[in-house]
């Protein structure tokens, strides 16, 4: 018999009593933006597959071809026998695309952020982190053992004050999402680079939600704003707009060599499976050569944003394909999510600790492949939910 401290059900009950219980919702079948949940066809309105590439035939064919040629798994960590030519080719392609000397792929965005922060800063250093940064950046900051200064969201003046106060730190690193994952707004990257440069700090940008979505070639917000060369670390994921799985870090040759030597989440894990590498590589080609997908994504985001505003929803300005529909209370957010599901629309409710207390919301995300009739269906379901709640 285990002692009472091991009563895990008590703990779960406590989470559920606070309206914060989570459970996995199973997708039984998927075809682009239409999925089957609980036996019914449902419109997908909360995927990060912004360009609809996860089910693109070219990516699927590339994944199959890579698995056939290289195997189902890479068999080992990259530093042992798991560094295959296909990894190297993807890294070269990403480096060229991101206009960087080199790139390195990681097993996930979570791994990449932990690994970079732990490798670059430590005791005696200072990290400056936006209050709404992704959990993986927050955890990376903690793991690094550097002094962590959290500045109010997108507040460049506050960042500058924090940088001045920490002038004694050995290395200073400013770290920010470029597109904030739960709010969809964009970081003031040019101002952040200015302030960082004035204070001798380097900048790390998480382009998870900007890769494939911003910039003339889809390389991200750094490309869109012409900030190449002013950002030390550009990190992005392969599992969102690129429709595959994994992540990259792009930067100088020394940065990449240091990561290979020091980033524990790179060193001590198995290399990305060939199928994921093959699909990501095909995705980079599609993203670079089909800007019309980005145009359709933006048109779709404008359409649904406009419909929600006209329907009485209080929406923040449109800055990305992520549209938070603010609710506030945890249970009400989940009730709205269920209400929409009953009408065949899936927009996941997001609650603490993913977002701050009292800011529960539905995180609506658009895809380039949403059709006009699907967007009309989505808008109608939201308006219906609002009428019913009134
Ligand atoms: N950074 C941001 C901003 C993210 O939104 C995410 C994923 N939600 C990650 C990093 C982690 O990426 P991955 O899913 O590849 O671990």
């Amino acid at each position: 018999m285990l002692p009472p401290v091991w009563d895990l059900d008590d703990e779960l009950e406590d989470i559920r009593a606070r309206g914060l219980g989570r459970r996995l919702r199973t997708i039984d079948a998927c075809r682009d933006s239409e999925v089957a949940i609980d036996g019914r066809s449902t419109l997908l309105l909360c995927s990060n597959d912004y360009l609809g590439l996860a089910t693109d035939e070219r990516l699927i064919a590339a994944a199959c071809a890579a698995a056939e040629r290289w195997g189902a798994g890479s068999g080992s960590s990259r530093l042992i026998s798991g560094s295959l030519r296909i990894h190297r080719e993807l890294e070269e392609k990403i480096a060229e695309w991101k206009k960087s000397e080199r790139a390195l792929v990681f097993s996930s965005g979570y791994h990449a952020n932990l690994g970079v922060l732990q490798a670059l800063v430590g005791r005696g250093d200072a990290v400056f982190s936006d209050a709404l940064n992704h959990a993986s950046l927050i955890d990376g900051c903690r793991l690094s053992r550097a002094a962590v200064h959290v500045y109010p969201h997108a507040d460049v003046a506050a960042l500058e004050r924090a940088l001045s106060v920490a002038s004694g730190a050995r290395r200073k690193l400013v770290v920010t999402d470029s597109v904030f994952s739960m709010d969809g707004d964009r970081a003031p990257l040019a101002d952040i680079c200015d302030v960082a440069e004035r204070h001798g700090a380097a900048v790390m940008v998480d382009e998870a939600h900007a890769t494939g979505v911003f910039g003339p070639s889809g390389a991200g917000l750094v490309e869109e704003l012409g900030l190449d060369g002013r950002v030390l670390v550009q990190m992005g994921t392969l599992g969102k707009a690129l429709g595959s799985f994994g992540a990259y870090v792009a930067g100088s040759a020394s940065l990449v060599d240091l990561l290979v030597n020091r980033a524990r989440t790179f060193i001590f894990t198995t290399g990305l499976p060939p199928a994921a590498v093959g699909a990501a590589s095909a995705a980079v080609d599609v993203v670079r050569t089909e800007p019309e997908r980005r145009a359709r994504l933006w048109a779709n985001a404008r359409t649904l944003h406009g419909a929600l505003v006209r329907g009485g929803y209080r929406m923040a300005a449109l800055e990305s394909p992520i549209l938070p529909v603010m609710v506030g209370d945890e249970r009400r957010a989940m009730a709205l999510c269920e209400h929409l599901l009953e009408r065949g629309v899936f927009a996941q409710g997001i609650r603490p600790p993913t977002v701050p207390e009292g800011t529960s919301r539905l995180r609506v995300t658009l895809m380039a492949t949403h059709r006009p009739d699907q967007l009309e269906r989505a808008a109608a379901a939201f308006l219906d939910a609002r009428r019913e709640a009134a």
Side-chain angles (χ1 to χ4, degrees):
M1 240 324 240
L2 284 167
V5 288
W6 279 103
D7 193 343
L8 306 183
D9 288 330
D10 260 9
E11 223 159 290
L12 276 170
E13 203 36 61
D14 177 55
I15 294 172
R16 290 184 186 128
R18 288 184 285 131
L20 297 175
R22 297 177 184 218
R23 68 185 173 86
L24 297 172
R25 218 182 287 276
T26 304
I27 305 275
D28 295 310
C30 58
R31 198 160 41 83
D32 192 15
S33 52
E34 206 73 47
V35 297
I37 301 178
D38 293 335
R40 71 183 286 195
S41 177
T42 304
L43 170 61
L44 186 58
L45 212 56
C46 52
S47 169
N48 296 321
D49 180 20
Y50 301 113
L51 300 176
L53 292 184
T55 50
D56 187 285
E57 281 172 13
R58 292 165 291 182
L59 269 73
I60 295 169
C64 293
E68 268 172 19
R69 172 139 185 229
W70 297 100
S74 59
S76 169
S77 71
R78 293 284 302 278
L79 279 162
I80 300 188
S81 68
S83 210
L84 311 175
R85 167 109 359 233
I86 193 171
H87 290 114
R88 173 125 174 227
E89 283 166 0
L90 176 61
E91 287 166 345
E92 284 168 1
K93 189 182 274 195
I94 291 173
E96 200 242 315
W97 181 40
K98 298 288 292 183
K99 300 190 196 76
S100 305
E101 267 178 11
R102 298 263 299 278
L104 189 68
V105 297
F106 279 72
S107 301
S108 74
Y110 198 97
H111 283 82
N113 282 339
L114 256 59
V116 169
L117 286 159
Q118 167 263 318
L120 286 189
V121 288
R123 283 205 178 90
D125 300 326
V127 194
F128 303 82
S129 173
D130 187 288
L132 294 189
N133 273 348
H134 187 259
S136 54
L137 290 174
I138 296 171
D139 294 354
C141 286
R142 290 178 183 152
L143 194 67
S144 76
R145 300 190 176 141
V148 182
H149 304 265
V150 177
Y151 61 90
H153 178 51
D155 186 339
V156 180
L159 168 62
E160 178 141 44
R161 282 194 297 279
L163 281 162
S164 314
V165 172
S167 57
R170 187 183 73 115
R171 280 186 178 158
K172 285 174 275 182
L173 179 68
V174 180
V175 51
T176 183
D177 286 14
S178 62
V179 172
F180 288 88
S181 54
M182 296 299 138
D183 291 72
D185 60 336
R186 296 185 292 228
L189 280 190
D191 293 344
I192 287 175
C193 287
D194 288 347
V195 167
E197 283 161 13
R198 278 206 290 280
H199 292 270
V203 176
M204 169 177 180
V205 171
D206 177 338
E207 296 257 51
H209 297 277
T211 304
V213 174
F214 286 96
S217 77
L221 196 57
V222 170
E223 179 191 44
E224 171 128 345
L225 300 175
L227 297 171
D228 316 89
R230 296 180 68 190
V231 173
L232 179 73
V233 185
Q234 294 187 58
M235 169 273 173
T237 52
L238 308 175
K240 296 183 169 69
L242 295 187
S244 179
F245 185 73
Y248 66 82
V249 174
S252 67
S254 337
L255 171 74
V256 167
D257 283 341
L258 189 71
L259 294 176
V260 168
N261 280 278
R262 210 190 256 169
R264 295 173 65 84
T265 58
F266 177 84
I267 298 170
F268 296 109
T269 196
T270 301
L272 209 54
V277 179
S281 182
V284 174
D285 296 339
V286 175
V287 164
R288 293 181 80 170
T289 54
E290 296 184 3
E292 61 274 19
R293 281 180 182 265
R294 280 186 286 289
R296 277 205 302 277
L297 174 64
W298 280 106
N300 285 347
R302 276 192 296 273
T303 300
L304 189 60
H305 185 266
L308 293 178
V309 170
R310 280 193 302 282
Y313 282 91
R314 218 157 35 85
M315 304 290 293
L318 180 69
E319 290 195 43
S320 78
I322 303 169
L323 314 182
V325 175
M326 288 298 180
V327 178
D329 176 75
E330 293 83 39
R331 287 187 182 80
R332 281 189 45 223
M334 292 322 285
L336 177 57
C337 173
E338 291 300 330
H339 185 103
L340 292 171
L341 267 175
E342 280 160 25
R343 278 149 192 81
V345 172
F346 182 28
Q348 184 64 289
I350 308 283
R351 293 165 290 169
T354 309
V355 293
E357 208 75 44
T359 70
S360 289
R361 66 198 68 178
L362 299 198
R363 177 179 180 271
V364 171
T365 51
L366 277 302
M367 296 170 70
T369 45
H370 280 135
R371 299 182 313 266
D373 63 293
Q374 291 177 310
L375 297 181
E376 279 166 29
R377 212 166 104 206
F382 267 99
L383 300 202
D384 188 41
R386 202 176 147 73
R387 264 196 301 274
E388 206 155 282

